[in-house]
Amino acid sequence: ADLLEMKNIHKTYPNGTKANQGVNLKIREGEIHALVGENGAGKSTLMKILFGLEQPTDGELRYKGQPVTFHNPKDAIAHGIGMVHQHFMLVPSFTVAENIVLGIEKRRGPLSLFTDRKAAVKSVQQLSESYGLRVQAEAKVETISVGQKQRVEILKALYRGARLLILDEPTAVLTPQETDELFVALRQLVTQGYTIIFITHKLREVMEISDRVTVLRAGKTIGTLATKETNKEE
Ligand code: ADP
Ligand code: ADP
């Protein structure tokens, strides 16, 4: 079944740039869906609309069969959507565990109590183990590698309850080994029913990791193809 449908999405920025000009995208539950296209094709804009960071000029979003409007990231997060940016949004002087629980626990004040810290470290370690996304829960973010920061971002989205993960060119900052590890983790996530949108411009990665791919060009969708023989083309 389709988890998400973006219908005839248009986005014109205030300066007149037409970034999306009638985009149609259907995402099935439990698939890894690659989104490809040259720089400027409108991929980021489309994903910003999905995460509530931009509003479409026209078009419709349907999520779990219902029309939805995401006014801000909070709305999108509340619907189980998570976004992992190319540029990380972590607090360098805070630990991995603190960064992951931050934003959710914020309302209850800083993590000053020893018990809170211990609980945070424990739940982060559990989350980390169950998805094979290794992190050092008690290390400060400023001391860890880029590949680890990305895992922290993914775990943060999962911790907030994301069921649909948007990954914006996730391999751009990774070593080949980290890329392999990421792909193993993504496969495990979809096995457990998660859905992933994977922005990339590397054809090899599309073939290796995705179930289906949608091609964007000049703000329009060219089409969607199955990349695995077990899927029917459409
Ligand atoms: P992609 O992610 O495929 O590279 P983008 O969605 O980033 O594409 O960009 C699509 C078009 O919209 C480009 O021409 C880009 O310069 C333009 N654009 C992106 N963000 C803005 C913005 N905030 N204001 C004006 N134009 C923008
Ligand atoms: P709050 O006041 O609770 O932080 P916001 O609407 O600012 O409310 O953000 C809600 C959550 O979404 C926060 O946890 C914040 O870190 C996250 N968030 C806000 N903007 C972005 C963004 N551009 N990318 C990823 N996450 C974001």
Side-chain angles (χ1 to χ4, degrees):
D2 287 328
L3 177 67
L4 168 75
E5 188 176 0
M6 298 182 87
K7 274 164 92 171
N8 200 24
I9 299 290
H10 289 255
K11 174 66 186 182
T12 305
Y13 283 108
N15 71 359
T17 304
K18 294 178 188 299
N20 289 164
Q21 304 182 64
V23 174
N24 294 292
L25 179 66
K26 284 183 180 182
I27 305 293
R28 289 182 192 150
E29 189 152 18
E31 73 171 343
I32 299 183
H33 197 116
L35 196 57
V36 305
E38 291 170 19
N39 276 337
K43 307 181 295 292
S44 297
T45 299
L46 190 67
M47 291 301 106
K48 282 180 183 168
I49 291 169
L50 177 54
F51 197 58
L53 288 164
E54 292 287 352
Q55 296 308 310
T57 316
D58 198 7
E60 194 191 5
L61 243 84
R62 296 181 78 87
Y63 191 68
K64 295 180 181 167
Q66 301 295 321
V68 287
T69 307
F70 299 146
H71 297 100
N72 50 50
K74 223 185 231 171
D75 280 348
I77 291 166
H79 280 80
I81 297 173
M83 181 146 165
V84 176
H85 293 261
Q86 240 178 321
H87 305 286
F88 303 112
M89 319 228 335
L90 304 170
V91 186
S93 60
F94 283 31
T95 68
V96 165
E98 284 165 344
N99 267 277
I100 290 172
V101 302
L102 206 77
I104 288 199
E105 309 293 335
K106 193 164 71 176
R107 265 151 255 149
R108 295 204 267 128
L111 285 179
S112 50
L113 294 172
F114 177 68
T115 49
D116 271 3
R117 279 176 194 255
K118 246 173 58 176
V121 167
K122 202 167 172 210
S123 54
V124 165
Q125 279 168 344
Q126 279 170 355
L127 203 60
S128 158
E129 277 163 28
S130 50
Y131 296 110
L133 290 159
R134 287 178 298 105
V135 292
Q136 301 155 265
E138 291 175 276
K140 285 199 173 168
V141 161
E142 63 200 359
T143 70
I144 67 178
S145 72
V146 179
Q148 286 185 58
K149 283 181 194 164
Q150 184 183 70
R151 283 183 222 139
V152 175
E153 286 277 3
I154 296 172
L155 290 173
K156 181 168 178 168
L158 296 173
Y159 184 82
R160 289 163 159 189
R163 296 294 295 171
L164 168 62
L165 274 182
I166 306 163
L167 305 179
D168 188 0
E169 298 207 28
T171 62
V173 295
L174 300 183
T175 66
Q177 198 201 327
E178 286 171 335
T179 300
D180 289 345
E181 287 171 3
L182 174 69
F183 285 3
V184 171
L186 296 186
R187 274 285 148 218
Q188 193 172 330
L189 283 167
V190 293
T191 305
Q192 296 181 32
Y194 289 86
T195 306
I196 292 159
I197 301 179
F198 189 100
I199 301 181
T200 183
H201 56 261
K202 298 178 190 158
L203 184 61
R204 192 185 57 75
E205 290 184 351
V206 172
M207 300 314 290
E208 186 177 343
I209 191 68
S210 75
D211 299 300
R212 297 195 301 156
V213 56
T214 293
V215 184
L216 275 183
R217 192 168 69 203
K220 294 197 174 89
T221 15
I222 302 293
T224 299
L225 292 168
T227 51
K228 303 272 188 292
E229 283 180 9
T230 48
N231 285 347
K232 282 212 173 74
E233 295 211 357
E234 44 187 308

Coordinates of all heavy atoms in Angstrom, one line a residue, residues 51 53 72-75 77 83-85 89 102-104 106-107 153 156 160, ligand 2:
F51 N 8.9 17.5 4.8 CA 9.3 17.6 6.3 C 8.7 18.9 6.9 O 9.1 19.2 8.0 CB 10.8 17.5 6.4 CG 11.3 17.2 7.8 CD1 10.9 16.1 8.5 CD2 12.1 18.1 8.4 CE1 11.3 15.8 9.8 CE2 12.6 17.9 9.7 CZ 12.1 16.7 10.4
L53 N 9.3 22.0 6.0 CA 10.3 23.1 6.1 C 9.9 24.1 5.0 O 10.4 25.3 5.0 CB 11.7 22.6 5.8 CG 12.3 21.8 7.0 CD1 13.6 21.1 6.6 CD2 12.7 22.8 8.1
N72 N 5.2 22.7 9.8 CA 6.6 22.8 10.3 C 7.1 21.4 10.6 O 6.4 20.4 10.5 CB 6.7 23.6 11.6 CG 5.6 23.2 12.5 OD1 5.5 22.0 12.8 ND2 4.8 24.1 13.1
P73 N 8.4 21.2 10.9 CA 9.0 19.9 11.1 C 8.3 19.2 12.3 O 8.1 17.9 12.2 CB 10.4 20.2 11.5 CG 10.8 21.4 10.8 CD 9.5 22.2 10.8
K74 N 7.8 19.9 13.2 CA 7.1 19.3 14.4 C 5.9 18.5 13.9 O 5.7 17.4 14.4 CB 6.6 20.4 15.3 CG 6.8 20.1 16.8 CD 6.2 21.2 17.6 CE 7.2 21.7 18.6 NZ 6.7 22.9 19.3
D75 N 5.1 19.0 12.9 CA 4.0 18.3 12.3 C 4.4 17.0 11.7 O 3.8 16.0 11.8 CB 3.3 19.2 11.2 CG 2.4 20.3 11.8 OD1 2.1 20.2 13.0 OD2 2.0 21.1 11.0
I77 N 7.2 15.3 12.1 CA 7.7 14.4 13.1 C 6.6 13.7 13.9 O 6.6 12.5 14.1 CB 8.7 15.1 14.1 CG1 10.0 15.6 13.4 CG2 9.0 14.2 15.3 CD1 10.8 16.6 14.2
M83 N 13.9 13.3 9.1 CA 14.8 13.7 8.0 C 16.3 13.8 8.5 O 16.5 14.3 9.6 CB 14.4 15.1 7.5 CG 15.2 15.6 6.4 SD 14.1 16.6 5.3 CE 15.3 17.5 4.4
V84 N 17.1 13.2 7.7 CA 18.6 13.2 8.1 C 19.2 14.1 7.0 O 19.3 13.7 5.8 CB 19.2 11.8 8.1 CG1 20.7 11.9 8.3 CG2 18.5 11.0 9.2
H85 N 19.7 15.3 7.5 CA 20.3 16.2 6.5 C 21.7 15.9 6.2 O 22.4 15.1 6.9 CB 20.3 17.6 7.2 CG 19.0 18.2 7.4 ND1 18.4 19.1 6.6 CD2 18.1 18.0 8.4 CE1 17.2 19.4 7.0 NE2 17.0 18.8 8.1
M89 N 22.6 18.6 12.4 CA 22.1 19.6 13.2 C 22.2 19.2 14.7 O 21.3 19.2 15.5 CB 20.6 19.8 12.9 CG 20.2 19.8 11.5 SD 19.2 21.1 10.9 CE 18.2 21.5 12.3
L102 N 17.5 15.0 23.1 CA 17.3 16.5 23.0 C 16.1 16.8 22.1 O 15.9 16.2 21.1 CB 18.5 17.2 22.5 CG 18.7 18.6 22.8 CD1 19.3 18.7 24.2 CD2 19.7 19.2 21.9
G103 N 15.3 17.8 22.5 CA 14.1 18.2 21.7 C 12.9 17.5 22.2 O 11.8 18.0 22.1
I104 N 13.1 16.2 22.6 CA 11.9 15.5 23.2 C 11.9 15.7 24.7 O 10.8 16.1 25.2 CB 12.0 14.0 22.9 CG1 11.7 13.8 21.4 CG2 11.0 13.2 23.7 CD1 11.3 12.4 21.0
K106 N 13.5 18.0 26.2 CA 13.8 19.5 26.4 C 12.7 20.1 27.3 O 13.0 20.9 28.2 CB 13.8 20.2 25.0 CG 14.3 21.6 25.0 CD 14.7 22.0 23.6 CE 13.4 22.2 22.8 NZ 13.7 22.8 21.4
R107 N 11.5 19.8 27.0 CA 10.3 20.3 27.7 C 10.5 20.1 29.3 O 10.0 20.9 30.0 CB 9.0 19.6 27.3 CG 8.3 20.4 26.2 CD 7.5 19.5 25.3 NE 8.1 19.4 24.1 CZ 8.1 18.3 23.3 NH1 7.4 17.2 23.7 NH2 8.7 18.3 22.1
E153 N 22.2 11.0 13.9 CA 21.1 11.7 13.3 C 20.0 10.6 13.0 O 18.8 10.9 13.2 CB 21.5 12.4 12.0 CG 22.2 13.6 12.1 CD 21.3 14.8 12.4 OE1 20.1 14.6 12.5 OE2 21.9 15.9 12.5
K156 N 18.4 9.5 16.2 CA 17.6 10.6 16.7 C 16.2 10.6 16.1 O 15.2 10.7 16.8 CB 18.3 12.0 16.5 CG 17.5 13.1 17.1 CD 18.3 14.4 17.1 CE 17.4 15.5 17.6 NZ 18.2 16.8 17.9
R160 N 12.6 9.6 18.0 CA 11.4 10.4 17.9 C 10.2 9.7 17.3 O 9.2 10.3 17.1 CB 11.7 11.7 17.1 CG 12.6 12.6 17.7 CD 13.1 13.5 16.6 NE 13.6 14.8 17.0 CZ 13.9 15.8 16.2 NH1 13.7 15.6 14.9 NH2 14.4 16.9 16.6
Ligands
ADP2 P1 10.8 23.0 19.3 O1 10.5 24.3 19.9 O2 10.1 21.9 20.1 O3 12.2 22.7 19.0 P2 10.5 23.2 16.5 O4 9.3 23.3 15.6 O5 11.5 24.2 16.4 O6 10.0 23.0 18.0 O7 11.2 21.8 16.1 C1 10.6 20.6 16.4 C2 11.6 19.6 16.3 O8 12.0 19.5 14.9 C3 12.9 19.9 17.1 O9 13.3 18.8 17.8 C4 13.9 20.3 16.1 O10 15.2 19.9 16.5 C5 13.4 19.7 14.9 N1 13.7 20.5 13.7 C6 13.4 21.8 13.5 N2 13.9 22.2 12.3 C7 14.5 21.1 11.8 C8 15.2 20.9 10.6 N3 15.4 21.9 9.7 N4 15.7 19.7 10.3 C9 15.6 18.7 11.2 N5 14.9 18.9 12.4 C10 14.4 20.1 12.7

